[in-house]
PDB file of all heavy atoms in Angstrom:
ATOM      1  N   LYS A  21     105.294 135.907 124.540  1.00  0.00           N
ATOM      2  CA  LYS A  21     104.055 135.977 125.312  1.00  0.00           C
ATOM      3  C   LYS A  21     104.280 135.280 126.688  1.00  0.00           C
ATOM      4  O   LYS A  21     104.781 134.172 126.725  1.00  0.00           O
ATOM      5  CB  LYS A  21     102.909 135.312 124.573  1.00  0.00           C
ATOM      6  CG  LYS A  21     101.537 135.436 125.245  1.00  0.00           C
ATOM      7  CD  LYS A  21     101.172 134.230 126.009  1.00  0.00           C
ATOM      8  CE  LYS A  21      99.996 134.486 126.849  1.00  0.00           C
ATOM      9  NZ  LYS A  21      99.523 133.289 127.624  1.00  0.00           N
ATOM     10  N   GLY A  23     102.486 134.168 130.319  1.00  0.00           N
ATOM     11  CA  GLY A  23     101.199 133.940 130.937  1.00  0.00           C
ATOM     12  C   GLY A  23     101.187 134.231 132.421  1.00  0.00           C
ATOM     13  O   GLY A  23     102.249 134.329 133.086  1.00  0.00           O
ATOM     14  N   THR A  24      99.984 134.317 132.936  1.00  0.00           N
ATOM     15  CA  THR A  24      99.774 134.641 134.365  1.00  0.00           C
ATOM     16  C   THR A  24     100.492 133.569 135.283  1.00  0.00           C
ATOM     17  O   THR A  24     101.133 133.927 136.272  1.00  0.00           O
ATOM     18  CB  THR A  24      98.279 134.669 134.735  1.00  0.00           C
ATOM     19  OG1 THR A  24      97.614 135.558 133.843  1.00  0.00           O
ATOM     20  CG2 THR A  24      98.052 135.089 136.162  1.00  0.00           C
ATOM     21  N   THR A  60     101.865 140.471 127.566  1.00  0.00           N
ATOM     22  CA  THR A  60     101.810 140.008 128.971  1.00  0.00           C
ATOM     23  C   THR A  60     100.375 139.746 129.433  1.00  0.00           C
ATOM     24  O   THR A  60      99.435 140.486 129.085  1.00  0.00           O
ATOM     25  CB  THR A  60     102.478 141.060 129.913  1.00  0.00           C
ATOM     26  OG1 THR A  60     102.508 140.496 131.222  1.00  0.00           O
ATOM     27  CG2 THR A  60     101.698 142.370 129.918  1.00  0.00           C
ATOM     28  N   SER A  61     100.188 138.732 130.165  1.00  0.00           N
ATOM     29  CA  SER A  61      98.919 138.505 130.909  1.00  0.00           C
ATOM     30  C   SER A  61      99.186 138.975 132.338  1.00  0.00           C
ATOM     31  O   SER A  61     100.180 139.564 132.612  1.00  0.00           O
ATOM     32  CB  SER A  61      98.550 137.001 130.874  1.00  0.00           C
ATOM     33  OG  SER A  61      98.355 136.577 129.564  1.00  0.00           O
ATOM     34  N   GLY A  62      98.282 138.608 133.181  1.00  0.00           N
ATOM     35  CA  GLY A  62      98.528 138.870 134.650  1.00  0.00           C
ATOM     36  C   GLY A  62      97.770 140.021 135.216  1.00  0.00           C
ATOM     37  O   GLY A  62      97.718 140.179 136.499  1.00  0.00           O
ATOM     38  N   ALA A  63      97.155 140.895 134.382  1.00  0.00           N
ATOM     39  CA  ALA A  63      96.513 142.080 134.970  1.00  0.00           C
ATOM     40  C   ALA A  63      95.455 141.710 135.957  1.00  0.00           C
ATOM     41  O   ALA A  63      95.376 142.216 137.106  1.00  0.00           O
ATOM     42  CB  ALA A  63      95.945 142.965 133.849  1.00  0.00           C
ATOM     43  N   ILE A  64      94.606 140.737 135.589  1.00  0.00           N
ATOM     44  CA  ILE A  64      93.454 140.402 136.450  1.00  0.00           C
ATOM     45  C   ILE A  64      93.964 139.708 137.702  1.00  0.00           C
ATOM     46  O   ILE A  64      93.591 140.120 138.854  1.00  0.00           O
ATOM     47  CB  ILE A  64      92.428 139.540 135.692  1.00  0.00           C
ATOM     48  CG1 ILE A  64      91.853 140.337 134.484  1.00  0.00           C
ATOM     49  CG2 ILE A  64      91.275 139.137 136.592  1.00  0.00           C
ATOM     50  CD1 ILE A  64      91.016 139.522 133.518  1.00  0.00           C
ATOM     51  N   GLY A  65      94.803 138.737 137.515  1.00  0.00           N
ATOM     52  CA  GLY A  65      95.346 137.976 138.651  1.00  0.00           C
ATOM     53  C   GLY A  65      96.107 138.822 139.641  1.00  0.00           C
ATOM     54  O   GLY A  65      95.888 138.778 140.851  1.00  0.00           O
ATOM     55  N   ARG A  76      90.405 135.086 142.033  1.00  0.00           N
ATOM     56  CA  ARG A  76      90.261 135.836 140.834  1.00  0.00           C
ATOM     57  C   ARG A  76      88.779 136.086 140.557  1.00  0.00           C
ATOM     58  O   ARG A  76      87.995 135.102 140.593  1.00  0.00           O
ATOM     59  CB  ARG A  76      90.830 134.962 139.716  1.00  0.00           C
ATOM     60  CG  ARG A  76      91.103 135.577 138.421  1.00  0.00           C
ATOM     61  CD  ARG A  76      91.597 134.460 137.469  1.00  0.00           C
ATOM     62  NE  ARG A  76      91.381 134.814 136.129  1.00  0.00           N
ATOM     63  CZ  ARG A  76      92.286 135.419 135.355  1.00  0.00           C
ATOM     64  NH1 ARG A  76      93.522 135.630 135.836  1.00  0.00           N
ATOM     65  NH2 ARG A  76      92.034 135.734 134.085  1.00  0.00           N
ATOM     66  N   ALA A  87      91.670 144.204 136.664  1.00  0.00           N
ATOM     67  CA  ALA A  87      92.639 144.454 135.602  1.00  0.00           C
ATOM     68  C   ALA A  87      93.209 145.884 135.658  1.00  0.00           C
ATOM     69  O   ALA A  87      94.391 146.097 135.405  1.00  0.00           O
ATOM     70  CB  ALA A  87      92.013 144.171 134.188  1.00  0.00           C
ATOM     71  N   GLN A  91      97.104 146.005 135.897  1.00  0.00           N
ATOM     72  CA  GLN A  91      97.852 146.504 134.763  1.00  0.00           C
ATOM     73  C   GLN A  91      98.866 147.548 135.169  1.00  0.00           C
ATOM     74  O   GLN A  91     100.002 147.564 134.650  1.00  0.00           O
ATOM     75  CB  GLN A  91      96.856 147.044 133.704  1.00  0.00           C
ATOM     76  CG  GLN A  91      97.488 147.552 132.448  1.00  0.00           C
ATOM     77  CD  GLN A  91      98.184 146.423 131.639  1.00  0.00           C
ATOM     78  OE1 GLN A  91      97.797 145.243 131.667  1.00  0.00           O
ATOM     79  NE2 GLN A  91      99.225 146.794 130.861  1.00  0.00           N
ATOM     80  N   LEU A  94     101.746 145.751 136.854  1.00  0.00           N
ATOM     81  CA  LEU A  94     102.571 145.087 135.852  1.00  0.00           C
ATOM     82  C   LEU A  94     103.484 146.084 135.120  1.00  0.00           C
ATOM     83  O   LEU A  94     104.693 145.837 134.979  1.00  0.00           O
ATOM     84  CB  LEU A  94     101.684 144.384 134.821  1.00  0.00           C
ATOM     85  CG  LEU A  94     101.128 143.079 135.144  1.00  0.00           C
ATOM     86  CD1 LEU A  94     100.164 142.604 134.018  1.00  0.00           C
ATOM     87  CD2 LEU A  94     102.185 142.017 135.373  1.00  0.00           C
ATOM     88  N   ASN A 145      98.811 144.053 126.175  1.00  0.00           N
ATOM     89  CA  ASN A 145      97.798 143.247 126.853  1.00  0.00           C
ATOM     90  C   ASN A 145      96.430 143.579 126.263  1.00  0.00           C
ATOM     91  O   ASN A 145      96.318 144.576 125.562  1.00  0.00           O
ATOM     92  CB  ASN A 145      97.839 143.548 128.382  1.00  0.00           C
ATOM     93  CG  ASN A 145      97.099 142.461 129.165  1.00  0.00           C
ATOM     94  OD1 ASN A 145      96.551 141.468 128.639  1.00  0.00           O
ATOM     95  ND2 ASN A 145      97.051 142.602 130.504  1.00  0.00           N
ATOM     96  N   GLU A 146      95.482 142.744 126.586  1.00  0.00           N
ATOM     97  CA  GLU A 146      94.107 143.119 126.218  1.00  0.00           C
ATOM     98  C   GLU A 146      93.734 144.237 127.124  1.00  0.00           C
ATOM     99  O   GLU A 146      94.126 144.339 128.297  1.00  0.00           O
ATOM    100  CB  GLU A 146      93.214 141.923 126.455  1.00  0.00           C
ATOM    101  CG  GLU A 146      91.745 142.256 126.240  1.00  0.00           C
ATOM    102  CD  GLU A 146      91.002 141.106 125.579  1.00  0.00           C
ATOM    103  OE1 GLU A 146      91.430 139.952 125.690  1.00  0.00           O
ATOM    104  OE2 GLU A 146      89.953 141.402 124.961  1.00  0.00           O
ATOM    105  N   ASP A 148      91.590 144.937 129.282  1.00  0.00           N
ATOM    106  CA  ASP A 148      90.541 144.212 129.995  1.00  0.00           C
ATOM    107  C   ASP A 148      89.545 145.095 130.739  1.00  0.00           C
ATOM    108  O   ASP A 148      88.422 144.699 131.011  1.00  0.00           O
ATOM    109  CB  ASP A 148      91.197 143.241 131.059  1.00  0.00           C
ATOM    110  CG  ASP A 148      92.082 142.210 130.413  1.00  0.00           C
ATOM    111  OD1 ASP A 148      91.530 141.405 129.621  1.00  0.00           O
ATOM    112  OD2 ASP A 148      93.281 142.173 130.721  1.00  0.00           O
ATOM    113  N   GLY A 158      89.649 137.407 124.487  1.00  0.00           N
ATOM    114  CA  GLY A 158      89.330 136.259 125.368  1.00  0.00           C
ATOM    115  C   GLY A 158      90.600 135.704 125.990  1.00  0.00           C
ATOM    116  O   GLY A 158      90.548 135.313 127.151  1.00  0.00           O
ATOM    117  N   ASP A 159      91.599 135.535 125.283  1.00  0.00           N
ATOM    118  CA  ASP A 159      92.866 134.988 125.878  1.00  0.00           C
ATOM    119  C   ASP A 159      94.053 135.626 125.194  1.00  0.00           C
ATOM    120  O   ASP A 159      94.009 136.050 124.042  1.00  0.00           O
ATOM    121  CB  ASP A 159      92.881 133.450 125.737  1.00  0.00           C
ATOM    122  CG  ASP A 159      93.021 133.041 124.269  1.00  0.00           C
ATOM    123  OD1 ASP A 159      94.182 132.989 123.818  1.00  0.00           O
ATOM    124  OD2 ASP A 159      92.011 132.865 123.583  1.00  0.00           O
ATOM    125  N   ASN A 160      95.178 135.631 125.933  1.00  0.00           N
ATOM    126  CA  ASN A 160      96.326 136.385 125.404  1.00  0.00           C
ATOM    127  C   ASN A 160      97.162 135.533 124.452  1.00  0.00           C
ATOM    128  O   ASN A 160      98.031 136.073 123.812  1.00  0.00           O
ATOM    129  CB  ASN A 160      97.192 136.860 126.584  1.00  0.00           C
ATOM    130  CG  ASN A 160      96.698 138.180 127.112  1.00  0.00           C
ATOM    131  OD1 ASN A 160      95.609 138.583 126.833  1.00  0.00           O
ATOM    132  ND2 ASN A 160      97.569 138.887 127.845  1.00  0.00           N
ATOM    133  N   ASP A 161      96.880 134.228 124.362  1.00  0.00           N
ATOM    134  CA  ASP A 161      97.574 133.422 123.289  1.00  0.00           C
ATOM    135  C   ASP A 161      97.123 133.956 121.989  1.00  0.00           C
ATOM    136  O   ASP A 161      97.990 134.205 121.071  1.00  0.00           O
ATOM    137  CB  ASP A 161      97.243 131.923 123.499  1.00  0.00           C
ATOM    138  CG  ASP A 161      97.691 131.414 124.849  1.00  0.00           C
ATOM    139  OD1 ASP A 161      98.784 131.779 125.230  1.00  0.00           O
ATOM    140  OD2 ASP A 161      96.954 130.621 125.451  1.00  0.00           O
ATOM    141  N   LEU A 163      95.805 136.790 121.338  1.00  0.00           N
ATOM    142  CA  LEU A 163      96.318 138.181 121.192  1.00  0.00           C
ATOM    143  C   LEU A 163      97.814 138.173 120.769  1.00  0.00           C
ATOM    144  O   LEU A 163      98.193 138.952 119.906  1.00  0.00           O
ATOM    145  CB  LEU A 163      96.199 138.918 122.598  1.00  0.00           C
ATOM    146  CG  LEU A 163      96.755 140.338 122.639  1.00  0.00           C
ATOM    147  CD1 LEU A 163      96.070 141.232 121.653  1.00  0.00           C
ATOM    148  CD2 LEU A 163      96.672 140.878 124.065  1.00  0.00           C
ATOM    149  N   ARG A 220      95.143 129.903 137.080  1.00  0.00           N
ATOM    150  CA  ARG A 220      95.404 131.367 137.177  1.00  0.00           C
ATOM    151  C   ARG A 220      95.314 132.110 135.870  1.00  0.00           C
ATOM    152  O   ARG A 220      95.070 133.327 135.837  1.00  0.00           O
ATOM    153  CB  ARG A 220      96.788 131.542 137.829  1.00  0.00           C
ATOM    154  CG  ARG A 220      96.713 131.391 139.301  1.00  0.00           C
ATOM    155  CD  ARG A 220      98.091 131.465 139.925  1.00  0.00           C
ATOM    156  NE  ARG A 220      98.894 130.297 139.667  1.00  0.00           N
ATOM    157  CZ  ARG A 220     100.206 130.305 139.506  1.00  0.00           C
ATOM    158  NH1 ARG A 220     100.848 131.430 139.557  1.00  0.00           N
ATOM    159  NH2 ARG A 220     100.867 129.185 139.320  1.00  0.00           N
ATOM    160  N   GLY A 221      95.551 131.427 134.765  1.00  0.00           N
ATOM    161  CA  GLY A 221      95.467 132.119 133.470  1.00  0.00           C
ATOM    162  C   GLY A 221      94.120 131.806 132.801  1.00  0.00           C
ATOM    163  O   GLY A 221      93.202 131.366 133.432  1.00  0.00           O
ATOM    164  N   THR A 222      94.061 132.129 131.503  1.00  0.00           N
ATOM    165  CA  THR A 222      92.813 131.938 130.810  1.00  0.00           C
ATOM    166  C   THR A 222      92.879 130.779 129.809  1.00  0.00           C
ATOM    167  O   THR A 222      92.079 129.907 129.785  1.00  0.00           O
ATOM    168  CB  THR A 222      92.422 133.224 130.034  1.00  0.00           C
ATOM    169  OG1 THR A 222      92.310 134.301 130.995  1.00  0.00           O
ATOM    170  CG2 THR A 222      91.044 133.073 129.352  1.00  0.00           C
ATOM    171  N   GLY A 223      93.965 130.776 128.990  1.00  0.00           N
ATOM    172  CA  GLY A 223      94.037 129.813 127.931  1.00  0.00           C
ATOM    173  C   GLY A 223      94.594 128.471 128.478  1.00  0.00           C
ATOM    174  O   GLY A 223      95.070 128.387 129.607  1.00  0.00           O
TER     175      GLY A 223
HETATM  176  N1  LIG B   1      94.355 139.799 129.701  1.00  0.00           N
HETATM  177  C1  LIG B   1      94.261 138.980 130.863  1.00  0.00           C
HETATM  178  C2  LIG B   1      95.051 139.574 132.045  1.00  0.00           C
HETATM  179  O1  LIG B   1      95.914 140.353 131.812  1.00  0.00           O
HETATM  180  C3  LIG B   1      94.898 137.586 130.635  1.00  0.00           C
HETATM  181  C4  LIG B   1      94.193 136.771 129.623  1.00  0.00           C
HETATM  182  C5  LIG B   1      94.926 135.417 129.567  1.00  0.00           C
HETATM  183  O2  LIG B   1      95.363 134.921 130.596  1.00  0.00           O
HETATM  184  O3  LIG B   1      95.040 134.855 128.504  1.00  0.00           O
HETATM  185  O4  LIG B   1      94.734 139.190 133.154  1.00  0.00           O
END
Side-chain angles (χ1 to χ4, degrees):
K21 186 261 169 178
T24 306
T60 186
S61 296
I64 299 172
R76 193 185 158 93
Q91 184 63 29
L94 278 176
N145 195 359
E146 175 143 23
D148 296 302
D159 67 85
N160 275 18
D161 296 321
L163 177 62
R220 281 176 285 148
T222 303

